Each structure stands twice: as structure tokens, then as C-alpha cells.
Amino acid sequence: MRVYNFSAGPSMLPLEVLEEAQKEFLDFAGTGMSVTEISHRDKAFSAIVEEAEANLRELMNIPDNYCVLFVQGGASQQFAAVPLNLMHNGKADYIVTGNFAKKAWQEGKIYGDARMVASSEDKTYTYIPDVDKIAFNDDSDYVHITSNNTIFGTRYIKFPKTKAPLVCDMSSEILSREVDVNQFGVIYAGAQKNLAPAGVTIVIARKDLIENPLPICPTMLKWKTQADNGSLYNTPPCFSIYMANLVLRHLKKIGGVKEINKINEYKAGLLYDFIDNSSYYTNNVVKEFRSIMNVPFVTPSKETDEKFVKEAKAEGLVTLKGHRLVGGMRASIYNAMPVEGVKKLIEFMKKFEKENA
Ligand SMILES: *Cc1c(COP(=O)(O)O)cnc(C)c1O
């Protein structure tokens, strides 16, 4: 039986996509081979990379002066790739709005003067600092932000206007809402939240920014290496790219980012409304910054939190345990989580409250 999986990542994929992959698993595109067996130099495979790029460009409206790369190493690897490609003057600004944002900043400090210009750690990352009041440095090579904070359940509702290129970790919300790519110098995202199984990481970079990686930048971390080779410099994560393409096709079919954003707002709205109208459950994120992807919440005690997670699992609502830094529960309701999954969670929450309040 398939359950509703609220995992923060790797997370649910659309059932239709999984079934399609299953159907052609042994014989991919008439090659008589599985996509897991085929050479990345085979035309049938490079066609997939090209289609995935075209689909992503269409869905996100990515302008021609940006390159789209499929790389490995996860978003965490990009924490290093960003300074190694961009930190020409050895200086950068970071906004620290959560655990991953902090890790990116700490990685940046290995390579130069990475300055934390704003943080929401004072209130355990329950809000996003006012981007209009941040004093960015004039000499920065880039400004780094994390648009959706997976662990704490916040998101930017407005992005800062910066002189230096804005670099954004969009791992946990890419393709969940419309963004204007032109606002950013670089966008990167690990695929395993909203796009594909783990293994591939998307980098969308303005072409003029990839030309001068630092001399110490490893070949594999140079965005230019991947750009010059159509993401096929070495063996790419073939299966993840193939799955990403199926997810992108699926997203196009259901109406694109605009449509999925509506559904995401609806799902998150149902859950937040229920939590806000309940005296039993709490979400302590400042309302305007609430994520529509990750919804952390607690019951009145640690004991009932634990009981909640256990009993929910028995009902087919799994991986609801919150991150160890936050405790309680976290419902990750990415693109692939059906509305019915959220409704079933709310029904369970009602029942649990009645039995335990
Ligand atoms: C999950 C996540 C990461 C880490 O991604 P990996 O692919 O595991 O390196 C980084 N940033 C954000 C915002 C995330 O949600």
C-alpha cells in the first residue's frame, strides 16, 4: 500500500511518474536497455538531458542568457561551488535564515570574507529579516540567500535588490511558485525535494558569471566545465536526470508552475487554517513568512508529539517527525503531495486532538 509520505527529502514523487518509470524500466526508448544501463554518450540519453533542460527553461521561463546545468554533489556541494566560481575579490554577503543558510555561510568562510549581513537566529529562524533594511556591503562578489527554509518552515515573500549578483539556494521550493529568474545571478537546488530522486542538482547561472572561476576551483566544480559540455563532462547522475525529466513533463501537463502554485497555496492554506483554529496545535512561524512547502507544528507536549508521529504512521501518514533542531512535527507538502494527503492529515489531527486534549 502506498502511504502519504511527508518527508522533507528525499520525498514523494508523482505516482504517474513512478508508474511510467516502472513501465519502461527494462526497455528505455526502444533501446532494449534500462535507463540505468545505458551509456550517457548514447543519443537516447543525451536527448533526455536536452529535453530536461528545455522543459525546465519553459517551466521557469529561464532567459537565454542563463545556462542550465545538471551536476552532482547535492546543494551542499554548491555551498563551496558558489564561492569557488564567484568570489573574485574574496568577499560575499550572506543572509542566514536557517540551518542550510548557515552551512552555506560557513562554507563561504573557507574561501574568503563571507559576511553574515542579517540573521533570524535570534528568534530561532521563525521569520525572514526585512530585506529592505539590510546594509549590504558595496564590495561583495555576491549575496547569498536561501529562499525556503526547509527545517524551520519559512520563505522569502520578496527578494532583496542587491548590487552584487543574488545567489539563491532554492532546493526545497524550486518549481513550487513562480519566480522571476532575472532577479538572480545564480539559482541552485538539490533535486530530491521537488524534482527527482537524490543525485542531481540543478544550477541556473547567468552566463557572464561563470566565465572566471577562481584558479583553485576544482574542474568538476567549475560551472563553466559543465556548461561547455552540456552537463556531460563526465558521467552524470543519469537515472535522476531521467526522472527529473519525467517530473518536468508531468508538471507541464498539469498546467505548469502557475497551476501547481495554486494547488500548493491551497494545500498549505488548509493546514495552516486548521492549525490556527486549533488550540491544541501550534506553528510559531511569523505568518507572512510561512513556507507553503514545509509546515512545522507541535502539540502541547513532547510526549504527545511522539505519540502523534507513531499513530499517524499507523494510519499511513509517514515521516512526520520534525527535524532534530526543532522537534515536534513537520509536514513537508511538496508539489507531489496530493490534496487528499493533506486532508487526510488534517482528519487525523482532529481525531488525535479529540483523543488526547
Ligand atoms: C535539503 C537542502 C539542502 C541540502 O541538500 P543536499 O542535496 O542534501 O546537499 C540544502 N539547502 C536546502 C534549502 C535544503 O532544503
Side-chain angles (χ1 to χ4, degrees):
M1 185 199 78
R2 279 191 54 88
V3 295
Y4 290 111
N5 177 11
F6 292 90
S7 169
S11 41
M12 282 186 88
L13 289 166
L15 181 59
E16 214 184 286
V17 165
L18 294 172
E19 283 170 345
E20 170 138 25
Q22 183 182 44
K23 208 173 75 199
E24 61 184 12
F25 190 68
L26 298 181
D27 182 3
F28 166 65
T31 57
M33 290 178 271
S34 168
V35 68
T36 59
E37 300 172 309
I38 198 169
S39 165
H40 61 293
R41 304 290 175 202
D42 194 305
K43 277 212 176 63
F45 184 75
S46 47
I48 289 293
V49 179
E50 280 162 30
E51 191 196 324
E53 173 172 345
N55 285 336
L56 190 67
R57 282 188 183 277
E58 185 183 330
L59 283 162
M60 289 183 72
N61 217 349
I62 302 172
D64 288 342
N65 62 325
Y66 286 74
C67 54
V68 172
L69 313 174
F70 299 98
V71 302
Q72 305 202 47
S76 303
Q77 181 80 285
Q78 294 305 311
F79 297 169
V82 168
L84 283 164
N85 280 279
L86 298 179
M87 218 186 229
H88 304 110
N89 299 309
K91 295 181 165 81
D93 289 353
Y94 282 75
I95 304 181
V96 177
T97 50
N99 201 47
F100 290 117
K102 192 173 187 176
K103 283 183 169 167
W105 169 57
Q106 285 166 339
E107 194 75 15
K109 285 201 286 187
I110 296 174
Y111 302 101
D113 189 10
R115 300 163 295 207
M116 183 173 71
V117 288
S119 162
S120 50
E121 194 171 9
D122 59 335
K123 291 185 179 142
T124 52
Y125 301 119
T126 50
Y127 69 101
I128 301 292
D130 183 346
V131 295
D132 293 329
K133 296 213 173 102
I134 296 172
F136 294 104
N137 292 289
D138 265 343
D139 58 357
S140 276
D141 291 311
Y142 61 88
V143 174
H144 183 280
I145 64 169
T146 310
S147 61
N148 184 80
N149 296 278
T150 325
I151 296 173
F152 299 91
T154 62
R155 67 160 172 173
Y156 283 72
I157 44 171
K158 177 178 157 191
F159 298 110
K161 287 204 169 43
T162 54
K163 198 181 105 200
L166 188 59
V167 176
C168 184
D169 176 357
M170 274 191 200
S171 294
S172 51
E173 70 155 1
I174 190 161
L175 295 161
S176 71
R177 60 167 161 161
E178 290 178 293
V179 293
D180 177 4
V181 173
N182 290 295
Q183 297 172 90
F184 303 95
V186 179
I187 292 169
Y188 65 91
Q192 70 274 22
K193 315 285 165 65
N194 237 349
L195 193 55
V200 65
T201 301
I202 307 294
V203 177
I204 302 162
R206 221 173 63 210
K207 285 176 180 166
D208 61 293
L209 296 174
I210 69 169
E211 286 303 322
N212 294 302
L214 304 199
I216 60 157
C217 183
T219 306
M220 277 296 291
L221 293 193
K222 286 177 188 163
W223 293 327
K224 191 165 168 44
T225 303
Q226 303 295 350
D228 288 348
N229 291 280
S231 297
L232 292 168
Y233 171 74
N234 70 329
T235 320
C238 300
F239 186 67
S240 299
I241 295 174
Y242 158 80
M243 289 293 288
N245 189 45
L246 293 187
V247 171
L248 293 168
R249 276 187 198 165
H250 174 77
L251 193 50
K252 268 169 62 176
K253 203 173 103 190
I254 64 174
V257 176
K258 192 172 187 164
E259 196 54 38
I260 200 75
N261 182 34
K262 270 191 228 154
I263 300 170
N264 288 333
E265 290 285 354
Y266 175 67
K267 286 187 298 192
L270 289 178
L271 191 48
Y272 285 122
D273 281 351
F274 173 74
I275 291 170
D276 289 343
N277 288 317
S278 147
S279 51
Y280 188 71
Y281 301 100
T282 320
N283 162 285
N284 61 5
V285 169
V286 174
K287 274 187 188 167
E288 63 177 316
F289 300 117
R290 281 172 165 176
S291 168
I292 58 169
M293 296 279 99
N294 311 97
V295 182
F297 61 94
V298 292
T299 67
S301 80
K302 278 205 170 69
E303 290 68 39
T304 41
D305 285 349
E306 268 173 39
K307 193 165 177 240
F308 182 100
V309 171
K310 222 171 104 193
E311 291 181 11
K313 187 176 176 196
E315 305 248 343
L317 304 163
V318 311
T319 340
L320 277 161
K321 192 175 176 0
H323 190 275
R324 65 196 144 75
L325 290 174
V326 179
M329 278 70 69
R330 171 177 49 172
S332 293
I333 49 175
Y334 297 120
N335 284 0
M337 173 60 68
V339 173
E340 302 78 66
V342 174
K343 286 186 174 163
K344 195 169 168 205
L345 172 62
I346 293 169
E347 284 315 305
F348 173 77
M349 289 169 81
K350 280 184 196 159
K351 185 179 112 193
F352 187 85
E353 176 175 354
K354 250 195 213 124
E355 292 168 2
N356 294 277

